[in-house]
Each structure stands twice: as structure tokens, then as C-alpha cells.
Amino acid sequence: MHTGDFNWALIPSFLAALDRGSLMAAARALNTSQPTVGRHIGELEAQLGVVLFERTGRGLLPTAHAHRLAEAARHMAGAADQLARQASGAQLDARGTVRISASQPVTCVLLPPLLAQLRQAHPDIQLELVSSNAVSNLLQREADIALRMVRPDQSSLVARRVGQVAIGAFAHRDYLRRRGTPRVPADLLAHDLVGNDRNPEILRGFAAMGYPLQREDFAVRTDDLNAYHAAVNAGLGIGFLARYVARHHPDLVPLLPMLPIAPLPLWLAVHREIRSNPRIRRVWDFLAGALPQALS
């Protein structure tokens, strides 16, 4: 095979399949169809003359050839991303789209009122919101700007702490009428609690207070943050919410202010090479100024 005959467009499908372990997950990550990813991998195997994946009932099992190809493929993908970032940073026109990634509560509750103000000030900037509880990878351009609860540690990213998210215990008034109001933390053990399914954070919080609860001690469990908020607001039990979320529900009552729940830092992050892009810089500057007030 001559290098000039190699189809570099097949590499994203290969890397997505390698990282996610199945054609379906790779197709979802690339926003394409499962047959397309499968066809790309088949074409790549034909070009290279090797088998890259063993197809099993549990997904794709990468071969030794796949692992050898992966390092070179990632270098190539990184170089392509860098070229795209530099081209994006070189644009002088402030018109266009800015893609923002944040968790469900941030994209559904915190950001919309702020973005309405932003659109009034900069009507030529369109916005794309990626609602995800996963940390979006700015290095691979899944977003232009990300709001994160952890500080990014990549040296190529610029991050600014824009505030902290206060967390508290809340319950709907109707629930408290039925079950009474807890006065001390130990009272929580006699109440219906809304917890997580697989996320261990709430369990760790109770353990730190000396209450080693199990998943089964929670009346309702979900890792979907919107579903979690809806469950608490429907009176299913006592839950732990960001205070900026609870403010939007006047029937939610704050409880037990003495609970030792540490606030979560909120970081605004962007890639260094595209911070000079005029439209991304305008959105960055606006959010950096507006978010601290919205969280206060």
C-alpha cells in the first residue's frame, strides 16, 4: 500500500471503536450510524491487510495490530485537532457558533437566563449546548468552552474559577407535612432519602458523617440529575441539591444547615489556541463576569 492511497478519514471510526469497545458506542460518539463505523473499520483493515478487531458477542476485542496502530493514529488525530484549533483561532469574524459543555443542571437551570442576556448583547453569535455530566474533552474539540466541577489539568487549557456551587438538603413542603422535619443529621435515617444509583458521592457523604448507609437505604435512586431534582420536587423524599437549582422551586424547604457539605468549585475552561477567537473570547468574558453573580 502506498502512503498516498491511505484513507485518513477512516481513523476517527477506528479510534472511537477502540476507545468505546463497540460499534454502537462508537457510532453514538461520532454522531453517525453503526453500519458506517463498521464499514470504515472494514475498509481500514482491507487497506492495512490486517485484522484490527475480533468481533465477539460482548463487543469489539482489539488485536495486537490495533494496539500498534493506536499510538500513530492518536498522534495523527492530535495533529489534525491542533490544525483545526489554530485555524479557528485565526478567524477574525465574531459571527458564528460557540459550543458550550456543562452538566445537566448547569445547562438546564443556570445557563439559560445568562445566555438570553448574551444573545441580546451578541445576536450574531449562535450557541450550542452540550448537556453532559461527563468531563468534555476540549482537546478533541467536543466543545469550545466547558464548565467543570474539577479543575482541568491539561497544560494546553486555560481555566478560571468562577465561583462555587453550594449544596444543601431539601424536601418539598408536602413531604415534610407528611413525615415531619428533621432537626439534626441523625433524623435523616428515619426519612425517605433520594440517592444515586451508581454514583457513590452521597454514600461517601453519609459515611463521612458516621452513617455507613447502603444503596438500599435510599427510597429513590437515580444518577440522572434532572430526574433527581424532579424526584425531590415531587415530594418523594429528602435530597441534596445545588442551591441555585432549589431557588427555582419555591415549595422546596432547606433543611439541616449544619450538614458538612462542601461546596463544589465551578471552573470555566477553554483551549489556549482558540481563546483568541473573537466570538469564543466574547462568550468566555461574558460567562466569567456573569456566573459569579448567578451563583451568589
Side-chain angles (χ1 to χ4, degrees):
M1 180 191 70
H2 295 290
T3 304
D5 298 330
F6 186 76
N7 186 356
W8 300 101
L10 305 177
I11 291 298
S13 291
F14 163 69
L15 289 176
L18 182 67
D19 291 339
R20 288 163 174 82
S22 73
L23 294 178
M24 181 180 297
R28 189 181 302 117
L30 296 173
N31 195 26
T32 188
S33 67
Q34 184 173 337
T36 297
V37 176
R39 186 176 66 253
H40 285 175
I41 291 174
E43 292 177 11
L44 184 58
E45 289 177 326
Q47 286 192 19
L48 297 174
V50 298
V51 175
L52 296 172
F53 296 99
E54 298 290 344
R55 278 69 169 174
T56 72
R58 300 181 65 181
L60 299 176
L61 183 64
T63 65
H65 295 295
H67 288 300
R68 283 195 292 268
L69 178 62
E71 183 176 358
R74 293 191 197 282
H75 281 306
M76 188 192 72
D81 289 338
Q82 183 177 16
L83 180 62
R85 288 192 299 268
Q86 289 173 343
S88 177
Q91 295 174 5
L92 299 178
D93 195 341
R95 293 175 296 179
T97 300
V98 175
R99 189 172 174 88
I100 304 171
S101 173
S103 68
Q104 287 177 340
V106 174
T107 55
C108 295
V109 179
L110 186 62
L111 279 181
L114 302 183
L115 298 183
Q117 301 173 31
L118 172 63
R119 284 279 300 146
Q120 292 179 22
H122 304 289
D124 289 335
I125 297 178
Q126 293 88 48
L127 302 167
E128 292 178 349
L129 287 178
V130 182
S131 182
S132 171
N133 298 325
V135 176
S136 183
N137 190 344
L138 292 175
L139 297 177
Q140 296 182 7
R141 295 303 304 279
E142 292 178 9
D144 297 314
I145 295 174
L147 285 161
R148 298 175 170 176
M149 298 301 178
V150 293
R151 183 175 187 172
D153 55 6
Q154 297 95 334
S155 61
S156 57
L157 299 183
V158 175
R160 178 186 300 181
R161 181 168 172 162
V162 291
Q164 60 184 19
V165 178
I167 309 293
F170 292 87
H172 194 278
R173 295 183 189 280
D174 291 343
Y175 172 85
L176 297 175
R177 290 191 192 101
R178 296 194 311 268
R179 300 292 304 276
T181 300
R183 302 299 178 186
V184 294
D187 292 346
L188 289 173
L189 305 183
H191 278 268
D192 290 340
L193 300 174
V194 181
N196 293 139
D197 179 18
R198 297 181 180 179
N199 187 323
E201 292 304 315
I202 294 178
L203 286 175
R204 289 173 180 168
F206 272 98
M209 291 190 295
Y211 308 122
L213 300 185
Q214 305 297 318
R215 291 177 69 254
E216 293 73 21
D217 293 317
F218 293 85
V220 180
R221 299 184 292 271
T222 178
D223 288 334
D224 185 293
L225 295 179
N226 285 344
Y228 188 100
H229 301 156
V232 178
N233 197 44
L236 285 172
I238 296 173
F240 305 91
L241 305 176
R243 294 192 183 277
Y244 74 79
V245 172
R247 283 201 298 261
H248 289 263
H249 302 283
D251 287 328
L252 290 181
V253 178
L255 305 169
L256 304 172
M258 76 290 290
L259 283 177
I261 304 177
L264 299 174
L266 187 62
W267 294 88
L268 195 61
V270 68
H271 202 284
R272 290 183 185 277
E273 294 178 6
I274 58 177
R275 192 181 180 190
S276 58
N277 179 297
R279 65 177 178 273
I280 295 175
R281 183 57 189 255
R282 289 184 185 181
V283 175
W284 166 278
D285 288 342
F286 177 86
L287 292 176
L291 283 166
Q293 301 176 27
L295 291 169
S296 61

